[in-house]
Amino acid sequence: MTRTAVVSGLGAWVPPHVVTNDMLAAELDTSDEWIRTRTGIAQRHIAGPGVATSRLAVEAGRRALASAGVDEVDVVVLATSTPDRPCPGTAPVVAAELVLGGVGAFDVAAVCTGFVYALATAAGLIATSVARSALVIGADTFSTILDPADRTTRVIFGDGAGAMVLRAGDAAEPGALLGFDLGSDGRGADLITVRAGGSEQRSREAAVPEADTYFRMDGPQVFTRAVRYMTGSVRSTLDRVGWTAEDVGAVVPHQANVRILDTCARELGIPVERVVKNIDRVGNTVAASIPLALADAAAGGRLKTGERVVLTGFGGGLTWGSAALTWPDINIGLQEQ
């Protein structure tokens, strides 16, 4: 038997405060129609004052553990680009809040591809017997790094967290993670970035322009590259696991922009109705995007036990990645309504 990571639990949480397009239009030079036609977003959830990324991660992690029916794991891997502090990592704080004892815990920073990177890392720890189980979380509070006056970014991003529990198992089981594809191109680092706050900026004597303290993104360039790299990554993953596009029951992409998702589906030859979307209700939640979309689809009956599923993402770095799995028979841990 080949030791393989198997999905055994899934949880999700978004802050209760909802910001609609009309609410943003009251502050910015925009409108509900402008936002919907360009992004597909109708609303997003925003963390309140004093609510850090660790809080969201703990809430999603608690629900994933309950979904798996366990109260302990061997390692916690947290994907985030908005950690509570530059130092230390946020994962140990999350593990402590979840009363997981002295387990290994660390952050992964790959922006919108973060959950796929974290999933691959945890699956590797399980496959090599370093761990028997893992809690993988994607959580971000991007509202804390957006320029309040920038309509191009404020309309896109929301806050949230999604989490998945993995256990050691067999590749023939429903829920098995069967293959990954990861990639990067650091030459595009300036396309999705916060310039200030790191050693690059702090090592200079010059004053920091206020604009550099906020998130910036080159939308047209990101659109083109997101389509190119996500479709290429999906194709590579399908080749690795021996699937064709026709074999895939559902594609769960990073919820970047509805036009990007539809273009990727056309490029891959996968019917658009097989692409899972919840961007209209939560916006782009960065590392939380894929697990939130998974939880939403599973809770709505979109995913069937044994169905072949592909996850894919593209984000800052530049980074991209995909994963192939069969869907498990699990209960989903969602927040109380």
Side-chain angles (χ1 to χ4, degrees), residues 153-281:
T153 57
R154 278 196 65 196
V155 303
I156 294 172
F157 293 95
D159 302 329
M164 185 178 282
V165 176
L166 306 180
R167 61 166 176 83
D170 181 72
E173 293 183 64
L177 288 160
L178 301 175
F180 292 91
D181 173 75
L182 303 176
S184 73
D185 182 0
R187 294 172 298 179
D190 285 341
L191 298 180
I192 301 171
T193 189
V194 178
R195 294 181 183 276
S199 62
E200 180 185 57
Q201 170 261 310
R202 290 170 182 259
S203 65
R204 298 170 180 166
E205 295 182 358
V208 181
E210 184 180 8
D212 286 0
T213 65
Y214 293 120
F215 175 83
R216 300 296 177 194
M217 179 173 67
D218 184 331
Q221 285 289 332
V222 169
F223 188 106
T224 301
R225 298 187 190 210
V227 171
R228 180 197 314 165
Y229 290 124
M230 284 202 292
T231 54
S233 183
V234 169
R235 290 190 183 106
S236 294
T237 302
L238 293 179
D239 287 344
R240 290 183 184 187
V241 298
W243 296 352
T244 66
E246 290 75 24
D247 295 326
V248 178
V251 177
V252 186
H254 161 59
Q255 306 290 299
N257 176 304
V258 73
R259 294 186 297 165
I260 289 175
L261 306 190
D262 290 346
T263 304
C264 285
R266 288 194 297 270
E267 292 279 332
L268 291 166
I270 293 175
V272 123
E273 58 268 21
R274 294 190 196 173
V275 177
V276 171
K277 302 172 187 172
N278 70 340
I279 190 171
D280 58 319
R281 283 163 283 136

Side-chain angles (χ1 to χ4, degrees), residues 50-226:
V51 178
T53 295
S54 61
R55 166 70 186 283
L56 278 62
V58 167
E59 295 290 351
R62 182 176 292 121
R63 287 160 176 77
L65 293 168
S67 167
V70 300
D71 57 10
E72 60 181 23
V73 291
D74 294 332
V75 65
V76 175
V77 186
L78 172 64
T80 187
S81 295
T82 51
D84 287 8
R85 306 175 185 178
C87 175
T90 302
V93 174
V94 173
E97 287 291 323
L98 291 171
V99 197
L100 294 175
V103 301
F106 57 94
D107 294 1
V108 171
V111 198
C112 298
T113 323
F115 188 77
V116 177
Y117 268 64
L119 203 60
T121 301
L125 293 174
I126 289 173
T128 55
S129 299
V130 174
R132 295 162 298 176
S133 60
L135 175 61
V136 182
I137 307 172
D140 270 302
T141 51
F142 245 56
S143 64
T144 62
I145 61 171
L146 299 179
D147 183 343
D150 183 6
R151 72 169 184 172
T152 63
T153 57
R154 278 196 65 196
V155 303
I156 294 172
F157 293 95
D159 302 329
M164 185 178 282
V165 176
L166 306 180
R167 61 166 176 83
D170 181 72
E173 293 183 64
L177 288 160
L178 301 175
F180 292 91
D181 173 75
L182 303 176
S184 73
D185 182 0
R187 294 172 298 179
D190 285 341
L191 298 180
I192 301 171
T193 189
V194 178
R195 294 181 183 276
S199 62
E200 180 185 57
Q201 170 261 310
R202 290 170 182 259
S203 65
R204 298 170 180 166
E205 295 182 358
V208 181
E210 184 180 8
D212 286 0
T213 65
Y214 293 120
F215 175 83
R216 300 296 177 194
M217 179 173 67
D218 184 331
Q221 285 289 332
V222 169
F223 188 106
T224 301
R225 298 187 190 210

